[in-house]
């Protein structure tokens, strides 16, 4: 990851905008304010990059980034999915269904859950139902872990995985990544997982 450059590609509003992208792809999803922009900034090691795409009007779009490196010719697409709540539920749903049901190159969705919230909300559950329906593998990530003690985190992780597995038994991965964009704890684990699932 160290030698990779992240570049903002564009914001997409419909499948035509991303259909031609054939690189292995991973996506970050989660409720608004879960810490998604901060985490993507830390993972791609470029906070300004995500802020650029966070201009008003851009948050309700799928933002595509490209990770490239001279040492590794294969590029990876990284997608910032709009936080639930930026559009009406129906509108958001159609947009995301179109994405999840057509992206054959999608290797993982990193579904972010705020550790302090400690449970899945109904929007997370709806998202997991969609992922299960379309066979999209989901990696759960607990964010802002600097706010909690290790023992609480372990308890929350177990509860969240159990609940998520009930909704997405075939797609939810059995472990949780703990992350803090503030302390940078767990950022390497996310980077390694991206490279692993993209086979690069
Ligand atoms: P987004 O709406 O999901 O993109 O969330 P942001 O990345 O904009 O973060 C929402 C709020 O949570 C901001 O006030 C951030 O400063 C804060 N935040 C994000 N990540 C962390 C973290 O790892 N630790 C703590 N303590 N706060 C965080």
């Amino acid at each position: 990851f160290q030698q990779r450059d992240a570049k903002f590609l564009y914001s997409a509003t419909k499948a035509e905008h991303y259909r031609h992208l054939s690189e292995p792809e991973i996506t970050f999803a989660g409720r608004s304010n879960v810490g998604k922009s901060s985490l993507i900034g830390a993972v791609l090691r470029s906070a300004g990059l995500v802020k650029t795409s966070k201009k008003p009007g851009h948050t309700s779009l799928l933002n595509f980034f490209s990770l490239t490196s001279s040492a590794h010719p294969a590029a990876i697409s990284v997608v910032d999915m709009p936080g639930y709540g930026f559009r009406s539920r129906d509108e958001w749903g159609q947009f995301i269904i179109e994405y999840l049901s057509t992206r054959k190159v999608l290797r993982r969705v990193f579904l972010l859950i705020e550790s302090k919230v400690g449970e899945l909300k109904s929007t997370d559950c709806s998202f997991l139902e969609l992922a299960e329906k379309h066979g999209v593998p989901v990696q759960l990530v607990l964010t802002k872990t600097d706010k909690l003690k290790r023992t609480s985190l372990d308890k929350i992780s177990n509860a969240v995985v159990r609940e998520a597995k009930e909704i997405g038994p075939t797609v939810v991965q059995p472990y949780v990544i703990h992350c803090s964009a503030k302390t940078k704890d767990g950022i390497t684990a996310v980077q390694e997982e991206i490279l692993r699932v993209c086979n690069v």
Side-chain angles (χ1 to χ4, degrees):
F1 231 94
Q2 299 314 317
Q3 302 134 9
R4 285 174 189 271
D5 283 327
K7 165 170 114 220
F8 175 64
L9 286 180
Y10 46 71
S11 297
T13 49
K14 40 187 164 176
E16 283 149 52
H17 296 155
Y18 51 75
R19 202 172 277 143
H20 64 285
L21 292 175
S22 56
E23 287 80 22
E25 187 165 297
I26 66 100
T27 297
F28 288 93
R31 305 172 70 227
S32 309
N33 217 38
V34 70
K36 187 154 56 68
S37 310
S38 306
L39 183 65
I40 296 174
V43 166
L44 301 184
R45 293 177 306 123
S46 180
L49 201 68
V50 185
K51 271 203 198 104
T52 321
S53 65
K54 232 191 161 187
K55 283 190 295 221
H58 279 232
T59 35
S60 58
L61 312 168
L62 286 164
N63 291 314
F64 280 76
F65 300 89
S66 177
L67 265 182
T68 52
S69 128
S70 48
H72 307 274
I76 297 174
S77 299
V78 175
V79 181
D80 179 7
M81 193 176 268
Y84 324 130
F86 279 115
R87 291 186 164 207
S88 74
R89 191 103 174 240
D90 282 355
E91 217 186 336
W92 186 92
Q94 282 314 310
F95 187 54
I96 298 311
I97 288 166
E98 183 180 30
Y99 175 75
L100 291 179
S101 62
T102 57
R103 282 318 266 162
K104 292 204 168 62
V105 292
L106 181 55
R107 302 284 177 88
R108 266 306 180 273
V109 172
F110 291 81
L111 177 58
L112 314 188
I113 311 286
E114 189 169 341
S115 51
K116 218 171 171 185
V117 172
E119 59 179 11
L120 300 177
K121 295 291 188 184
S122 64
T123 41
D124 298 315
C125 297
S126 309
F127 185 82
L128 283 168
E129 280 167 20
L130 276 179
E132 178 70 22
K133 184 174 173 196
H134 297 291
V136 177
V138 174
Q139 173 63 56
L140 297 169
V141 178
L142 284 183
T143 63
K144 309 188 194 179
T145 53
D146 55 281
K147 292 186 172 186
L148 287 183
K149 291 208 180 74
R150 179 80 219 187
T151 44
S152 320
L153 275 176
D154 287 341
K155 217 179 274 173
I156 289 168
S157 298
N158 292 339
V160 166
V161 167
R162 206 177 314 125
E163 205 184 341
K165 273 266 181 207
E166 275 172 27
I167 306 168
T170 66
V171 293
V172 173
Q173 305 304 299
Y175 54 93
V176 177
I177 298 178
H178 294 174
C179 261
S180 165
K182 195 173 168 189
T183 64
K184 303 290 181 278
D185 186 41
I187 298 301
T188 310
V190 175
Q191 293 173 332
E192 285 173 358
E193 191 61 5
I194 292 173
L195 297 183
R196 193 180 72 78
V197 299
C198 292
N199 287 328
V200 290

